[in-house]
Amino acid sequence: MSPAGESPAAVPRPAMRTDIQALRGVAILFALLYHAFPARFPAGYLGVDVFFVISGWLMTRLLAREIGGGTFSFRAFYFRRAKRILPAAYATLAVTALLAVFLLTSKERYSFAKQLAGGLTFSANFVLWQATGYFSLPAENKPLLHFWSLAVEEQFYLLLPAFLFLLPRRFWLRAVGVVCAASALACFALAPIHPDTAFYLLPTRDWELSIGVFAALSGVSLGGRLRGPLVASALAVLVVLPIRPIDAVHPRLDALLVCLATAVVLLAEDPRLRENRLARALAPIGDVSYSLYLVHWPLLAFANNCWLGPVPAHVRLALLGASFPIAFLLYRVVERPLWRAPIAPSRRSFAVLAASTAALALSALLVARVRTSPVDYREVRRLNFGFSGDCDFGTRFEALAPCRSSASPRILVWGDSFAMHLVRGIDASTDAGVVQATKSMCGPVLGAAPWDGREYAESWGRGCIAFNDSVFEYLRRQPSIDTVVLASVFSSYVEGASAAGPSRILMRRNGASGVEPVAVESSAGAFDGTVARIRGLGKRVVLVAPPPGDGTVDVGECLERRARGLPTFDRERDDCAVSVEAYRQGSRGIRQLLDRVAAGSDVNVFRFDPWLCTTEWCRTEIDGTFLYLDDGHLTNDGSVLLGRRIGLGEELLRLAK
């Protein structure tokens, strides 16, 4: 979301309308409240959509006036955009980069460097769109997450001037209508099946900005007797939907209603809103909305990084409160003075811009690579793909040379990333030979896959099912394998096992190539069927439960923060141990699923609990070696250490039946 728009100071024109600034104030407040209290304001993100429409409206009116008057210049336009956007943005990036060095762990700093590069090049939406998967940093821990909407807007502004300048004026309205409709159709179609694509990319968000463009070009004025009821209805939509959304998929129906409501307010130009006391009170917040937007999220994100558990409500409220004076300072010292300064395009101004950009680009490299400790924690906590990153397969498994330790392996490790992290430990503790068949987020169950319409979309689920089919076909053709290790996080197949866990799974129809969503309780039967089919090939099977964890604390972050002395809050113990009580409570559904499969299929389940846990705590570090990469995955060194101490490979061979 970007509250930034062209100013009346950029080109001579009447003062900004109070109702528009009040709209900005409402939008930014909802966005702030959503970021701090998402449960109470579950759709406060609709403030993004309000800003998109306002931005499209304001920019189009400016461009239409200049193009129509023959005064338009690409050079002048983009220079004004740079003056409007970059000073406050660059100041935020610089301060945030400095804080990142002292507040973030190695994994967080590496992610931050990518975010900084994305913010600097206005490609943050692409950076975030690609940052998905088990091993990615949670969205709430990314200090520059909010730059995605700035990127969408600036990409739009890169195209809009040429679109209007090159197209004959008589075609403007029709062409914008076609583009808007095409973008909306693409967004509505993709949102349920590829939600990240629909959310982050310009082609599927263009329609919201284009609604503002269309309204500005339409020449419509909502006056007369209908103005009052229309404005009242629009305001009701803008106030109610962020609190009580009607569509679980975004951006779709809620976004459409909010965008249309914003367009109604813009077209109505209701004089009563200009004099309304509440509108006049909200307008100053709208004035500083861009600076407020820039500063509030890094404060919340840094807090999310420093707190091991949920950030207390009073802390989040205090951070929101602190964002207002900081934003006002940024507005008065940086944003407004440079925005209104009589600076013209010149070699000197472009040289200053280039130098500032280069300095921030260098800071991105430094943040990613600077060593603030003699230990390279980025190496210690490098991603654990098992034998190789090549072994995180797509829709088909192949026994690649990097994914096996023997030409004739006896053990097949099959599953998701919680199977990957076992591979090194198993291979280090047996001479039987191991082959790795793994796909992130895809559990080792035939004919079924997670499905929730968002993170686990139908297309992804079909790919997971196809991958598991290919693993089984490999098993059928590989006589050397006598033991199959099935490992997973299993939460995707358990109702309520995690906040993101789906309520249904995608199940292949009997005797058909199609799939259908079924109740997640069906997953136990699917695992039973998988075990039976593997045994039908003459192979033995053993299941491996995930290591102890409560699902809320990133143990790897805790270990690194403790070792480096970084600010850390809400840590119950100094050694980052996992509470057995919290672990058992958080993993109850997973344990019930595994117990049910164990009893129904007469299969053994290996658990790390006897090796790591006492009656009260489970250790997460042994002799200075981090066992945990994050909230559940083992580190590369931790996997090998545990594997050798337990004799994991031989133990699994013993348990398999």
Side-chain angles (χ1 to χ4, degrees), residues 175-216:
V176 170
V178 170
V179 170
C180 182
S183 173
L185 287 173
C187 179
F188 277 49
L190 284 173
I193 56 175
H194 294 291
D196 290 335
T197 300
F199 185 87
Y200 281 121
L201 301 188
L202 175 61
T204 48
R205 298 304 290 254
D206 174 274
W207 63 273
E208 300 177 72
L209 291 135
S210 291
I211 285 177
V213 176
F214 191 90

Side-chain angles (χ1 to χ4, degrees), residues 406-494:
S406 168
S408 300
R410 288 181 55 201
I411 300 174
L412 172 75
V413 180
W414 181 2
D416 54 28
S417 60
F418 278 75
M420 295 180 195
H421 74 169
L422 300 174
V423 170
R424 289 182 179 273
I426 294 173
D427 188 55
S429 53
T430 181
D431 296 325
V434 177
V435 60
Q436 176 181 345
T438 52
K439 174 180 172 63
S440 291
M441 300 188 287
C442 181
V445 54
L446 292 169
W451 182 89
D452 64 1
R454 291 192 61 81
E455 181 178 4
Y456 303 101
E458 181 178 330
S459 59
W460 181 90
R462 288 177 179 272
C464 175
I465 291 173
F467 167 76
N468 284 327
D469 286 345
S470 69
V471 175
F472 186 76
E473 287 304 311
Y474 168 78
L475 265 179
R476 190 194 302 275
R477 303 188 309 268
Q478 191 66 25
S480 70
I481 294 176
D482 58 51
T483 301
V484 178
V485 178
L486 302 180
S488 170
V489 66
F490 293 107
S491 60
S492 300
Y493 303 89
V494 175

Side-chain angles (χ1 to χ4, degrees), residues 579-603:
S579 163
V580 169
E581 180 181 357
Y583 158 50
R584 288 178 177 171
Q585 182 177 350
S587 64
R588 181 183 296 113
I590 295 171
R591 288 186 288 109
Q592 289 174 348
L593 170 65
L594 292 175
D595 289 344
R596 182 176 170 183
V597 175
S601 297
D602 188 28
V603 62

Side-chain angles (χ1 to χ4, degrees), residues 126-270:
F126 288 100
V127 172
L128 295 165
W129 174 53
Q130 295 173 344
T132 57
Y134 268 152
F135 294 116
S136 64
L137 198 68
E140 61 270 18
N141 286 29
K142 297 176 179 177
L144 300 179
L145 175 77
H146 57 329
F147 270 74
W148 76 267
S149 59
L150 280 175
V152 169
E153 281 198 13
E154 295 312 308
Q155 290 160 19
F156 180 78
Y157 294 146
L158 185 66
L159 302 174
L160 181 64
F163 181 83
L164 296 179
F165 184 77
L166 298 175
L167 193 69
R169 194 180 189 104
R170 66 183 181 276
F171 297 128
W172 279 3
L173 199 61
R174 188 180 308 169
V176 170
V178 170
V179 170
C180 182
S183 173
L185 287 173
C187 179
F188 277 49
L190 284 173
I193 56 175
H194 294 291
D196 290 335
T197 300
F199 185 87
Y200 281 121
L201 301 188
L202 175 61
T204 48
R205 298 304 290 254
D206 174 274
W207 63 273
E208 300 177 72
L209 291 135
S210 291
I211 285 177
V213 176
F214 191 90
L217 295 176
S218 67
V220 173
S221 179
L222 299 178
R225 288 181 297 177
L226 288 177
R227 177 161 62 185
L230 283 173
V231 170
S233 300
L235 292 177
V237 167
L238 291 168
V239 171
V240 172
L241 280 185
I243 302 172
R244 291 198 174 268
I246 59 177
D247 191 348
V249 179
H250 180 75
R252 207 166 56 173
L253 183 57
D254 289 337
L256 176 61
L257 292 174
V258 162
C259 288
L260 293 176
T262 304
V264 166
V265 175
L266 293 173
L267 290 170
E269 298 191 52
D270 194 332

